[in-house]
Amino acid sequence: MVDLHGLELDPLVAAELPPWDDILGHLAARPLPAVAVLRAAAGEGRPVVQPRCGVGGQREMLALLGELEPAGPGILSVTIDSHTRLRRFDTATELLRRRPADLNGYPLVSHGWQRGRELTEAVTVPLEVRHGSPDGRDLFAVALAAGITSYEGGGIGYNLPYSKDVPLARSLRAWQQVDALCGVLATAGVVIDRELFGTLTAVLMPPSISLAVTVLEAVAAAREGVRCLSVAYPQGGELHQDVAALRAVRTLAARYLDPAVEVFPVLHEFMGVFPRTPEYANLLILQGGLLARLGGAAKVVSKTGQEAYGIPDAAANAAGIRAAALGASELLDFVRIDESRVAEEQHWIEREVAELVEPVLAHGELLPAIEAAFAAGRLDIPFSASIHARSQVVPRRDRTGAIRYADRGALPFSRPVLARHAALLREVDGDRPRSLIEAATADIHYFLEKESQSLTRAPYRTRSDTPSRF
Amino acid sequence: MNPLPARSGRLVILGVAESDSHAVANHLIAMHLREHGFTVVNLGVCTPLADFADAHQRHPGAEAVLIGSLNGHAHQDLRALPELRAAGRLRCPVIVGGNLSVGSRKSEADRRRLLDLGVDHLLPDADALLPLLDTLHAAKVAELQHG
C-alpha cells in the first residue's frame, strides 16, 4: 500500500499518478468545479440535469460526452464499468485492449489520469465519477488526478446494494479515507463535491431509510473534513412524499451537520421498473424534473425513454436530459401542490429519521455503531444483495402510491410512527387479500400499471409480459 | 406476519445462481415461503453451486434446493451439477427458476440443456413454486408410508 495523505493505494495505481502538487494545482485551476454549478442551481431554485453515461473506449467516451453536452446538462457523468468498480483493474485493462464495447462503463483506472484529463477538457461542464465501489480509493485518486471535482459513493450506499459479502467495517474505512483526503483538499482551497447514493437498492425505498443512511454517511464525511455534500434521494412515485423527502434533506442537514458544510439535495429520477412506452416514460422523466424543482433539489439525475430496455443510446440520453430540464422549467412554475400534505409527510419523515439515526449517533464511535446497528437490524435496507443487511423490512405502497413500512423488521420506530404506517396500509387491501409476493410485485410494477391505465394501447399486460419473478 | 402453520417443519434452501446479483425476487420468494410456514435457508445472491451443496449437507432434511437465475447464465452457473451429483452431493430435488437463457425467446433447447445437467424442475414463474413443493412433499410422504 502507498499512502497519499492517508489514502492507501494499490502501489501499481500510485506509481502512475503525477506528483501531489500537480494534482492539487490542476484541480485548483479547473475553471468550473462541480460545487460552483450546484451553488448556482441552488441559488436560482432550479435544478441542473445530469445524465448517467459511460462507455469503454476513449474515442467513444469523448464522442458520447460531445453528443450529450448540447442537450444542456449542468454536470456530466463518467459512469465506471463493473470490473473497475470491483478493483479488477487487470480484467478491465484486458477487455479495454481486446473488446472495449463489452465494458459496461468507462474504465478510468485502466485508461489512466492523462486520458481522464482529456475527458475533463473536452467539455465545459464539470464531470462526476459514478460507480458503485465498496472500496473506491484507487479510482478516487485517478479521478482527482484527472481533474474530476465530484465523486459519488459512501461506505453504506456503495456497499449494501452492490456487494454480497463486503463487511461494512471495510467499506466504511475505505470511504473514511476518501473523505479525509477531501478534507485535506478543502484545507488547500479545493472543494470536492461528495455525492451520497441514497437510492440504495432502488426498489420501494422508504424515504426515512434512504435519508437515515445518507445522514449517517454525511456526518461521517463531515467529521473527516468534507465541505460539500450532495445528498441523493430516489423518486418513489408519490409526489407529496417525494417533495417532502427532498425538502427534508435540508432540515436534516441543519439538524445533524456543521453549518460550514454545504449540502445540496439531489433527485434520482425513478430507478425502479420503468414504463415501456416512450410517451409514458417521457412523462415520468418530465415529472421528475418538476418534482426536483418543487423539492428544492440542486440537481436531478435524468432517465431515458429507453430505460426499460437497457443502457440507452446517446440520442435517447440527450432527450432524457431535455425532458427532465423541461419538467424543471418556468413553463411549469404555475404548478401548485397540496403544501399541508407535504408538510405532514415531511414531519413524519424527519421523525422517523431521528428515530433511526439518533441511537447510532449517540455512540462515541460512529463507524462501529453503524456496523452494529446493521448487524442487529436497527438499521436495515429492503432487498439488499448483502449478507450484512438483514433486509427484514418489507415496504408497501399505500392507496396513494406512497411507500410505507408493512413490516419494520427490527427498526426502532416509536408506537405513533408504526400506528400511522399500519393505518395507511389498512386502506389498501380492502378488496381482497393478496399474498405478500403478489402485493409487493404489484407495488414494484406500479408505473407499468399506471401506464396501462393511461394509455389504451400500452404494450404492458399484467400476466404474459411480466418479467419472471425469481 | 404470522406464518401459516400448514407447512411448519418443512425446510428449503434458496439462493441465486453464481453470476447473478438480482436480490429483489430472492427476498420476495423467501418472504413468500416463510409466510406459508417454511423454514428458509436463504444463501442470497451470487451463490456458487458448491455452496448450495454445503448447505444441503448442513440441512439434510431440506426438501428442495431452489436456485434463481435471472441473467440468462443458468447453464453456465450450474455446469458443475453432474459432477457434484456424481460425488453423492445435492441428492434432493433441484428447482431452477427465472429467465433461463439470454434473449427474450425461451427455446425448448435451453430447457433441455438444463434438464440434461440434472436440474429436476424448471419454473418460469414463482407462482408455481408452492404447488410444486407440495406435490413433491406429498409424493415423498406417500413413498415413506408405502416404503
Side-chain angles (χ1 to χ4, degrees):
Chain A
M1 284 299 206
V2 176
D3 194 301
L4 181 72
H5 291 278
L7 187 75
E8 293 172 311
L9 297 174
D10 178 325
L12 293 173
V13 173
E16 298 290 324
L17 293 172
W20 176 248
D21 287 344
D22 177 89
I23 295 176
L24 193 61
H26 181 257
L27 279 168
R30 296 302 306 152
L32 188 65
V35 64
V37 171
L38 294 165
R39 276 178 197 149
E44 265 179 69
R46 220 174 280 287
V48 293
V49 182
Q50 178 180 355
R52 290 181 179 78
C53 51
V55 288
Q58 182 69 4
R59 260 202 332 266
E60 292 81 356
M61 186 70 201
L62 284 165
L64 179 58
L65 293 173
E67 277 185 89
L68 295 178
E69 194 174 23
I75 297 176
L76 280 164
S77 301
V78 179
T79 302
I80 304 295
D81 69 288
S82 302
H83 298 293
T84 302
R85 293 177 185 206
L86 297 170
R87 303 183 71 250
R88 297 198 293 245
F89 304 132
D90 291 350
T91 311
T93 304
E94 183 60 22
L95 268 175
L96 176 63
R97 207 175 36 238
R98 288 189 304 112
R99 292 199 307 274
D102 284 0
L103 287 159
N104 61 355
Y106 181 83
L108 178 60
V109 175
S110 304
H111 279 295
W113 59 272
Q114 295 94 331
R115 287 194 191 163
R117 283 190 188 184
E118 279 182 23
L119 302 186
T120 52
E121 278 150 24
V123 289
T124 57
V125 298
L127 298 180
E128 174 175 28
V129 165
R130 311 188 74 93
H131 48 123
S133 309
D135 177 356
R137 290 176 293 180
D138 298 302
L139 181 62
F140 182 54
V142 180
L144 287 178
I148 292 173
T149 53
S150 177
Y151 196 67
E152 187 181 39
I156 306 168
Y158 262 17
N159 174 349
L160 301 181
Y162 287 104
S163 300
K164 179 173 180 173
D165 190 12
V166 176
L168 274 163
R170 196 176 338 144
S171 58
L172 287 165
R173 259 204 314 277
W175 284 95
Q176 186 178 27
Q177 292 184 6
V178 168
D179 290 335
L181 189 59
C182 289
V184 171
L185 285 162
T187 308
V190 171
V191 176
I192 299 293
D193 166 46
R194 285 275 297 106
E195 183 168 333
L196 307 176
F197 185 68
T199 292
L200 302 171
T201 50
V203 175
L204 296 180
M205 194 53 59
S208 52
I209 286 185
S210 169
L211 289 162
V213 165
T214 49
V215 162
L216 292 170
E217 287 182 339
V219 171
R223 286 183 187 180
E224 300 301 327
V226 169
R227 283 292 164 264
C228 172
L229 284 163
S230 288
V231 175
Y233 163 80
Q235 180 178 1
E238 201 287 310
L239 192 78
H240 305 82
Q241 186 178 46
D242 287 336
V243 169
L246 277 174
R247 291 182 186 174
V249 169
R250 290 201 180 279
T251 47
L252 292 166
R255 187 178 304 168
Y256 298 110
L257 291 175
D258 177 339
V261 182
E262 286 183 274
V263 174
F264 299 104
V266 171
L267 178 75
H268 280 220
E269 292 204 314
F270 189 64
M271 295 280 282
V273 180
F274 219 78
R276 294 167 187 209
T277 59
E279 296 84 356
Y280 204 86
N282 278 324
L283 177 64
L284 189 55
I285 294 165
L286 188 85
Q287 197 211 27
L290 173 64
L291 121 74
R293 181 182 66 75
L294 291 169
K299 185 172 87 175
V300 52
V301 180
S302 56
K303 281 285 183 179
T304 79
Q306 294 174 349
E307 209 57 42
Y309 305 97
I311 297 176
D313 59 39
N317 211 337
I321 296 170
R322 291 195 181 95
L326 288 174
S329 74
E330 60 191 21
L331 210 61
L332 295 179
D333 281 355
F334 70 92
V335 172
R336 297 284 174 273
I337 49 175
D338 184 343
E339 287 292 343
S340 67
R341 203 169 141 190
V342 174
E344 184 188 334
E345 283 295 329
Q346 196 176 331
H347 163 82
W348 286 100
I349 288 170
E350 287 168 15
R351 175 171 177 168
E352 288 170 17
V353 173
E355 290 175 8
L356 293 174
V357 303
E358 285 176 10
V360 180
L361 293 171
H363 287 267
E365 290 280 319
L366 179 58
L367 303 189
I370 291 171
E371 201 186 358
F374 273 104
R378 292 191 307 273
L379 288 172
D380 199 4
I381 291 177
F383 308 120
S384 174
S386 175
I387 59 171
H388 301 287
R390 288 193 175 190
S391 287
Q392 285 174 301
V393 168
V394 183
R396 286 284 318 275
R397 290 186 188 274
D398 70 10
R399 199 176 33 80
T400 67
I403 297 165
R404 309 295 181 195
Y405 293 93
D407 187 335
R408 51 82 182 248
L411 297 178
F413 287 135
S414 61
R415 200 181 294 262
V417 163
L418 294 172
R420 178 169 179 262
H421 283 272
L424 288 163
L425 286 175
R426 256 197 303 275
E427 305 169 355
V428 187
D429 291 325
D431 42 0
R432 64 185 181 93
R434 292 185 297 178
S435 75
L436 178 77
I437 200 165
E438 202 184 346
T441 304
D443 287 346
I444 289 167
H445 293 166
Y446 181 70
F447 280 112
L448 297 186
E449 205 57 57
K450 289 265 177 224
E451 176 183 40
S452 64
Q453 287 164 5
S454 303
L455 302 169
T456 47
R457 300 176 59 181
Y460 175 67
R461 296 182 303 282
T462 28
R463 291 290 324 165
S464 60
D465 250 6
T466 309
S468 325
R469 299 196 311 251
F470 252 99
Chain B
M1 273 180 299
N2 302 317
L4 308 171
R7 300 178 182 81
S8 61
R10 294 171 58 185
L11 184 145
V12 291
I13 294 163
L14 172 71
V16 185
E18 185 169 12
S19 72
D20 193 333
S21 59
H22 285 93
V24 175
N26 170 259
H27 284 294
L28 288 175
I29 287 165
M31 287 172 195
H32 178 60
L33 291 169
R34 286 179 184 135
E35 205 181 15
H36 286 272
F38 282 93
T39 299
V40 180
V41 176
N42 188 0
L43 306 178
V45 301
C46 304
T47 300
L49 200 58
D51 289 8
F52 285 102
D54 294 346
H56 184 237
Q57 236 160 335
R58 285 196 306 273
H59 304 278
E63 56 185 70
V65 165
L66 316 172
I67 305 176
S69 173
L70 277 167
N71 66 353
H73 295 174
H75 187 267
Q76 172 72 9
D77 285 340
L78 272 62
R79 66 194 184 284
L81 184 57
E83 201 182 321
L84 285 164
R85 285 260 170 90
R89 310 186 72 202
L90 275 176
R91 290 289 173 95
C92 68
V94 170
I95 302 169
V96 173
N99 293 327
L100 303 178
S101 58
V102 174
S104 55
R105 296 196 63 81
K106 307 290 170 231
S107 71
E108 187 49 39
D110 292 320
R111 295 175 46 82
R112 177 50 44 203
R113 283 200 319 159
L114 287 166
L115 295 169
D116 286 347
L117 281 179
V119 172
D120 301 281
H121 303 276
L122 298 173
L123 291 182
D125 197 309
D127 288 347
L129 189 53
L130 275 179
L132 174 62
L133 287 171
D134 287 347
T135 307
L136 294 174
H137 184 68
K140 185 98 184 159
V141 169
E143 190 186 325
L144 290 172
Q145 281 172 344
H146 302 297

